[in-house]
Amino acid sequence: MSMVEIKIVTGKSKEAAKVLKLLQQAHAVVSEVKRAGEDVKQGIVIEAYLTKESIGRLESEGVAVQVIRDLSESKDPRTFVSKENRFRDALEKLRQTRRR
Amino acid sequence: MPGKYLNIEEVKTKLELICLQYGDICECELIQLPYATSGEKNTDIIKEINNNDYYEITGIDNDDYYVNSGVKAGVKDCWAIRIKAGFSTPRHGILMIGGVHGEEWGSTDILVYFVESMLQAYHDHADLVLGSKTYLAAEVKEVLESLEIFVVPLVNPDGRAFSYSEGLDEWNRDRNLWRKNRTATTTPDYGVDLNRNYDWLFDYKAHMHQDTYNGNRPCELLNGGISDDPKEDNYQGPSAFSEPETRNVEYLLNQYPNIRFFVDVHCATELGLIGYPWFDDDPQNDDFLMDFRNESYNEFRGIRQKGTSWFWCPGCDDCASQLVAPLYREYMAKEDEERYKEIGKEMVSAIQAVRGTVYEVRRGNQLVWYSEVADAIDYAFSRHKTSPESGKVDALVIEWGPYGEWLQDWPECTNKFQPLYEEPPGIDRMTPVILDVSAGLTALCKTALRVPLIRLTPNPLDFGMVVRGGNVQRCVSLTNLSTQHVKILWTKIEPTSPAPVVKIISANAGVMVTPGQSETLLVGFSPVSDVDDIEAQLLVGLQYETESIIQDVRSVKLHGMGDLVSAFYQAMSFRPRHSQDISRLETLCHSEFTLTIDCPQFEALSQGLSLSEFLRKIRVWHVQSLRITEDHRSPMTGSLITSHVMIRIRTLGNKEYKARCRIRFTLQKASGRWYINAADIQVLETEEI
């Protein structure tokens, strides 16, 4: 199930609350909620990560969803995680030095 | 700079390495925290291990699978590092935690880098260079030789391990966005949001207005902050401190009472933020009775008046139009708030000097768009209010972020929680953040140096029986444990319960306390109104002689029994003797207390009344004489005060009666004065033993 990043621009707080509830039910990860302008009347922008499958459910509730990007097309962040223990050798070496 | 996120095993190895490398020049202790994580075991984790090329099963013992270097899979130990250079003692402690949320990978790396870079600069007698911000070698030396630093870089190893692993979570999402720990809660749900598992307003449905979580008031949206549904990402857990990870943090706060500062490093998405308590509601500095301990406000907490919600207002027409009275706002002493702002300002300034990134200082409930409770920093700061033996802990949260429009600035990043972190010639968006936050943490340490290191004894101070019009004087000793002169700016007494008007007898302002010396502060109570219990704080404002002012307030809890209780006893011919474990009457406002009364003639005095009827009779008598002055009620709404009392009456022959009561007072103004207009004493249960 691939994930997408979405953006939803809602009206005022009642609508935002409804959208947030729907996102909660869809187990979306809400990454940002911000005012569209200085005034809330100008709308509220909600950004979130969720599965592609969930978009249909949101749209069926009348929520206009903009897909910002498909995360499967981005680099997998796990590639930024060290795959080995980079400090094990140094630790072992230091331990041996201290034993002497 | 490592150039890749630390994996789970590396975090511990790196800490061990730091201890070995720098153990000769300072105390570097690796502390194994007492509670191993309780994440998923066996089959699930084995599947993960098999999918990971850097974990290798090396043994099985009692159904726990060991991977590389003997680390148990799914049952992981948590580690802290304690650093202390030089020989000065005592000193303030700073506790820094990170890696609380599984998907916020960078927080752990920030803290490990911070520790290593500080120690390396200290070792080399070199300046600490963080981008364009430089801390001189002498500044690093002063920090490490004057403070004791505790760092838990990875509070939630199971959550991070799960977030690192391939595949989907229980909700078909990529695991890399996993936030909680991996406690098996209710099948098939996993995980507790550790930053909603602390003992501060944990039972939010009891403490908060129902509209904050039932969706009736869209502007309140507490549901965005906490949930009691295990399926949710912000599930709070079955009880406060149900999780080993939060118990580990509590353990450190208990074990090291010198910890004066606490910082929790998180990742916000777009803005860099520094937050301070409180998270439940708007703050105010006037009404000390309106605070999280006061059960009378349980029905009102969290609801804001139209036009006052920082996020949704102005401009929102959706707020319910009617005002929910009383309007609740969480109390914080003005000096405390000013100090938080000052600390935050210095951190912001240091961060900005690195590469120009602008962080914002915000109070808790303005940090993000939702309110929250049961979080770490509110718990840490609340401890000095809930348990007199706990010292004050200034608690802050750092929410690091990339700033500005994410997609514009970091288009290549996969998501907002995990910036690209590649070795050269790859793209590295994490290292600049590490430098930013390290500068902020160093600034916090430097600020901590300016907070006076003093001891006030005794604490608490028990005045015993105080009667109206009488003066009782006691001495409090202020010892200057710092290396600089400390000037007493002012002293004052602030009642923390529905207290009498008290006249302070104290003339300590302007006194200079030299290093290592003690000064005696004369403190006096002179109640000028009837009270049945006194609880107050002696507040001392302090300033270092040679540094810029950091307003700080230290407190001594003052207890006394007023003449109302005394009269009550006399009228009933009782001679009070408090139970052994409760040595005093607790504050009316905030606590449940036990009162044990030896009354051999109870049956005769009660004249055939049941215990319940008897207690109501007492209440009618003593409440009518209580008068409240303007100064000691809520300036906004009037105060409601609720108290619980367990009354135990022992009669001749060791017969014993017990009654658990709830008392609720309502204050009202009449003829220019405030009175207890109504007192609802509900006897919850009685028992004859």
Side-chain angles (χ1 to χ4, degrees), chain B residues 274 276 334-349 361 396 443-444 447 450-451 547-552:
Chain B
I274 292 167
Y276 62 88
K334 192 177 175 193
E335 292 81 2
D336 284 336
E337 184 153 22
E338 290 301 315
R339 191 179 57 263
Y340 273 125
K341 285 178 181 171
E342 193 167 342
I343 292 170
K345 195 173 145 191
E346 298 203 14
M347 293 172 75
V348 165
S349 171
V361 183
L396 297 123
L444 172 64
T447 311
R450 301 213 308 275
V451 172
E547 291 279 357
S548 64
I549 296 174
I550 284 191
Q551 290 275 353
D552 192 21

Side-chain angles (χ1 to χ4, degrees), chain B residues 23 35 46 61 79 98 115 157 159 164 171 231 240 287 303 338 355 421 457 545 568 607 622 636 642 678 681:
Chain B
Y35 304 101
I46 294 309
D61 179 27
W79 301 91
V115 169
Y164 278 172
W171 303 104
K231 291 179 170 51
D287 185 1
I303 291 288
E338 290 301 315
R355 57 176 174 133
Y421 195 11
T457 53
E545 186 188 29
F568 157 64
Q607 298 174 331
H622 89 258
M636 284 180 277
T642 300
I681 297 191

